[in-house]
């Protein structure tokens, strides 16, 4: 038995991940998909009386994606939860290991994986995260601008492949503008803004396979909803489980269409977090639709999120 086709490294989980195999004579094959993070099978399929076959591993591996964001100082970080490393195995014979990206389309290195425009407004003290796919160890130069002066700081990743670069604006307390140059292939400009009094910062997993951040400057409404379960007994009605949620209605700033399209990705994102006091708290988007474009004008986006009450 031999494998005649395997997906490329860093192929997107949003498309098919086709493996092909063949053998000299028809027989029964037991195939398993192994997540290398667990070193355990996460799916299996039996092929009966075949000498050759194909198998799409994507449906088995998509559900293995789960981001666990953490704050950190400015610099490169090797992510352990932003790809799904896997092999396919038949009769003890394994394919070469592959890392698969949680995104919709294929991408070639070097690339900055993002849905947010490369010119951004970032609240002072907040942290940004950039996801890079490179074929050599990436280098980044952060330039901090303040009153006509520029201070540059260089960083180098420890490996090639998928890496994260965290930018903590608190590490540059005097800067008005921070630019991040990744080698020669991408540049991001962050305009530093004064913190909003009632702002609410969200992070979400984007369709590009990245973690994006945005601070909504206005909390339009905050309320608490409670759901009670009541039980009828011989002595009367008694209270059962009580569940409460905190709901926030957020308004973005007036943004161009590209930024609003990125923010609309929060509605369909499988993972969204409220970012506060250095912690990421999972929340649930409750909005089903968002307007992105109106002819000749800027628009803002209204979004409602829900989280359990403490």
């Amino acid at each position: 038995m031999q494998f005649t086709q395997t997906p490329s490294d860093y192929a997107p989980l949003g498309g098919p991940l086709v493996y092909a195999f063949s053998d000299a004579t028809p027989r029964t094959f037991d195939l398993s998909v192994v997540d290398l993070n667990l070193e355990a099978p996460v799916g299996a399929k039996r092929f009966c009386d075949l000498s050759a076959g194909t198998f799409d591993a994507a449906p088995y591996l998509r559900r293995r994606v789960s981001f666990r964001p953490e704050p950190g100082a400015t610099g490169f970080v090797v992510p352990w939860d932003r790809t799904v490393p896997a092999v396919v195995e038949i009769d003890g014979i394994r394919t070469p290991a592959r890392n698969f990206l949680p995104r919709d389309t294929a991408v070639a290195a070097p690339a900055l994986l993002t849905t947010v425009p490369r010119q951004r407004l970032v609240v002072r003290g907040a942290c940004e995260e950039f996801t890079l796919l490179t074929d050599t160890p990436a280098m980044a130069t952060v330039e901090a601008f303040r009153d006509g002066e520029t201070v540059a700081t260089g960083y180098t990743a420890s490996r090639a492949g998928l890496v994260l670069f965290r930018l903590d604006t608190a590490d540059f307390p005097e800067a008005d503008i921070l630019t991040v140059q990744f080698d020669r292939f991408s540049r991001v400009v962050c305009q530093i803004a004064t913190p909003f009094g009632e702002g609410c910062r969200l992070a979400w997993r984007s369709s590009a396979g990245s973690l994006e951040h945005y601070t909504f400057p206005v909390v339009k409404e905050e309320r608490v909803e409670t759901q009670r379960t009541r039980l009828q007994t011989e002595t009367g009605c008694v209270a059962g489980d009580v569940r409460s949620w905190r709901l926030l209605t957020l308004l973005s700033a007036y943004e161009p269409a590209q930024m609003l399209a990125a923010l609309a990705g929060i509605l369909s994102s499988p993972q969204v977090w409220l970012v506060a006091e250095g912690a990421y708290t999972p929340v649930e988007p409750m909005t089903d639709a968002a307007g992105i474009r109106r002819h000749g004008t800027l628009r803002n986006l209204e979004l409602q999120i829900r989280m359990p009450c403490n």
Side-chain angles (χ1 to χ4, degrees):
M1 197 284 301
Q2 64 177 350
F3 287 95
T4 58
Q5 177 183 339
T6 60
S8 60
D9 208 15
Y10 297 108
L13 285 163
L17 301 175
V18 178
Y19 291 83
F21 57 89
S22 65
D23 198 58
T25 57
R27 63 186 182 89
T28 297
F29 296 91
D30 286 320
L31 178 149
S32 60
V33 185
V34 179
D35 183 336
L36 295 179
N37 280 332
L38 302 175
E39 270 299 337
V42 294
K45 187 173 183 179
R46 171 166 288 187
F47 296 85
C48 297
D49 299 325
L50 292 177
S51 60
T54 60
F55 173 76
D56 182 8
Y60 298 84
L61 296 175
R62 288 186 191 120
R63 59 177 179 261
R64 305 304 307 167
V65 181
S66 181
F67 285 18
R68 295 172 180 84
E70 296 179 358
T74 299
F76 282 102
V77 180
V78 176
W80 62 270
D81 61 347
R82 307 303 173 86
T83 63
V84 179
V87 296
V88 167
E89 181 177 333
I90 298 178
D91 296 340
I93 300 174
R94 287 188 168 189
T95 62
R98 295 287 188 260
N99 290 284
F100 299 118
L101 295 175
R103 55 180 285 118
D104 297 336
T105 58
V107 62
L112 171 65
L113 311 185
T114 185
T115 58
V116 176
R118 287 164 173 75
Q119 291 198 7
R120 311 176 180 189
L121 187 67
V122 182
V123 173
R124 191 178 302 280
C127 185
E128 285 282 297
E129 183 179 288
F130 307 100
T131 305
L132 307 172
L133 181 63
T134 64
D135 45 15
T136 59
M139 294 184 293
T141 301
V142 178
E143 294 182 330
F145 296 88
R146 171 74 175 182
D147 296 332
E149 297 183 358
T150 304
V151 177
T153 308
Y155 304 85
T156 303
S158 61
R159 69 167 198 181
L162 191 79
V163 294
L164 308 180
F165 185 79
R166 289 176 178 153
L167 176 65
D168 188 349
T169 61
D171 294 337
F172 308 91
E174 303 299 324
D176 295 322
I177 298 176
L178 292 172
T179 67
V180 187
Q181 179 70 51
F182 297 109
D183 298 337
R184 296 185 178 181
F185 66 86
S186 191
R187 181 182 179 88
V188 179
V189 179
C190 299
Q191 179 75 45
I192 307 302
T194 302
F196 307 117
E198 297 182 354
C200 181
R201 190 162 179 80
L202 295 186
W204 68 98
R205 201 176 103 195
S206 78
S207 60
S210 58
L211 183 70
E212 309 289 6
H213 294 77
Y214 182 83
T215 300
F216 287 80
V218 177
V219 179
K220 180 180 177 182
E221 182 183 35
E222 179 176 356
R223 71 175 189 267
V224 174
E225 291 187 354
T226 300
Q227 182 182 66
R228 295 180 176 86
T229 301
R230 300 185 182 278
L231 304 176
Q232 186 67 42
T233 68
E234 294 180 355
T235 58
C237 185
V238 297
D241 293 336
V242 178
R243 301 178 62 190
S244 295
W245 296 273
R246 179 184 172 209
L247 291 97
L248 299 178
T249 302
L250 311 177
L251 290 177
S252 76
Y254 286 92
E255 302 281 5
Q258 184 183 3
M259 187 68 217
L260 289 178
L263 294 179
I266 299 174
L267 279 61
S268 58
S269 174
Q271 290 181 280
V272 183
W273 299 267
L274 174 70
V275 186
E277 299 179 356
Y280 287 77
T281 303
V283 299
E284 179 184 0
M286 302 300 292
T287 306
D288 295 325
I292 294 176
R293 186 183 298 273
R294 178 181 293 168
H295 179 70
T297 65
L298 293 173
R299 298 198 68 176
N300 64 347
L301 181 142
E302 182 172 319
L303 172 70
Q304 186 179 76
I305 58 173
R306 182 176 76 170
M307 70 201 81
C309 289
N310 295 331

